[in-house]
Amino acid sequence: MFEWLERTSVATWVGESLYGYPFMLALHGIGLAIVVGIFVMRDLRLLGLFSGISYDAIDSLRKLAWTGFSINAVSGSFLFTSQATTFVSNIPFLLKISMIFLATVCAGIIQNRMRDEAPEWDDSGAAAAGSVPLLAGLSIAFWMGAIIAGRLTAYL
Ligand code: HEM
């Protein structure tokens, strides 16, 4: 299946045209800046930093964060097609995808907790409660791991 994918006209355009790969990698950088930028800011807020910003204000950025995620899912899939048989057995790449999966699970759980509890935290001026700070710390570690593994993909 991955050999077939590599022979598609899309994969050939991405892998062999002058602008295919750099354009998709640039889109990937933009998506990365948006999704990781917003989720890490949210996680730092949940860890108690930037107390001047309400949880509601941070939470209102989540749609933009998922837009960034979608940009990376699409641009990443295009990049993947060009060397599918190589990437599918590339350890840093597989590690990156695993980290992104774990970071996405954290993002979903945190989003649901904030939907239910953030208004109360904002009203009472309290810090994020229970396991939320731990989830926020794990989330930051997974996104940082995804970026490091993503960068190492081209070298290892
Ligand atoms: C939010 C999710 C994602 C993040 C944070 C992310 C992060 C990264 C980073 C930091 C790089 C290195 C960029 C560079 O070398 O300039 C990269 C490259 C890449 N990513 Fe992603 N990525 C994401 C999603 C995906 C997905 C879903 C796929 C595939 C299905 C994917 C496939 C690739 C490929 C093939 C490369 C190129 C490797 C290379 O040629 O250096 N990415 N990604």
Side-chain angles (χ1 to χ4, degrees):
M1 183 184 78
F2 295 114
E3 280 167 14
W4 169 82
L5 200 54
E6 262 179 28
R7 285 197 300 274
T8 58
S9 54
V10 171
T12 307
W13 175 75
V14 174
E16 296 175 13
S17 71
L18 183 59
Y19 297 109
Y21 208 89
F23 176 69
M24 288 301 163
L25 210 48
L27 265 186
H28 216 58
I30 293 166
L32 159 72
I34 295 171
V35 62
V36 179
I38 292 173
F39 281 151
V40 168
M41 282 296 293
R42 179 206 58 193
D43 296 335
L44 292 172
R45 178 67 192 89
L46 292 169
L47 287 167
L49 278 77
F50 317 122
S51 55
I53 304 175
S54 72
Y55 293 109
D56 185 54
I58 282 271
D59 193 45
S60 68
L61 296 171
R62 74 173 181 279
K63 284 201 180 93
L64 181 58
W66 290 118
T67 305
F69 185 90
S70 309
I71 292 172
N72 264 31
V74 172
S75 59
S77 301
F78 275 99
L79 291 166
F80 180 82
T81 63
S82 67
Q83 301 165 62
T85 55
T86 308
F87 287 130
V88 81
S89 55
N90 178 284
I91 301 297
F93 179 77
L94 297 173
L95 203 60
K96 182 190 92 167
I97 296 297
S98 311
M99 294 275 178
I100 293 167
F101 174 75
L102 293 168
T104 309
V105 170
C106 280
I109 298 171
I110 290 172
Q111 186 170 304
N112 290 340
R113 295 286 301 272
M114 287 188 78
R115 186 195 55 220
D116 301 339
E117 301 170 45
E120 190 195 313
W121 302 337
D122 275 333
D123 291 346
S124 64
S131 60
V132 173
L134 173 66
L135 282 167
L138 284 174
S139 168
I140 293 175
F142 292 141
W143 286 120
M144 294 305 112
I147 291 176
I148 295 166
R151 186 76 275 240
L152 289 174
T153 302
Y155 297 91
L156 299 179

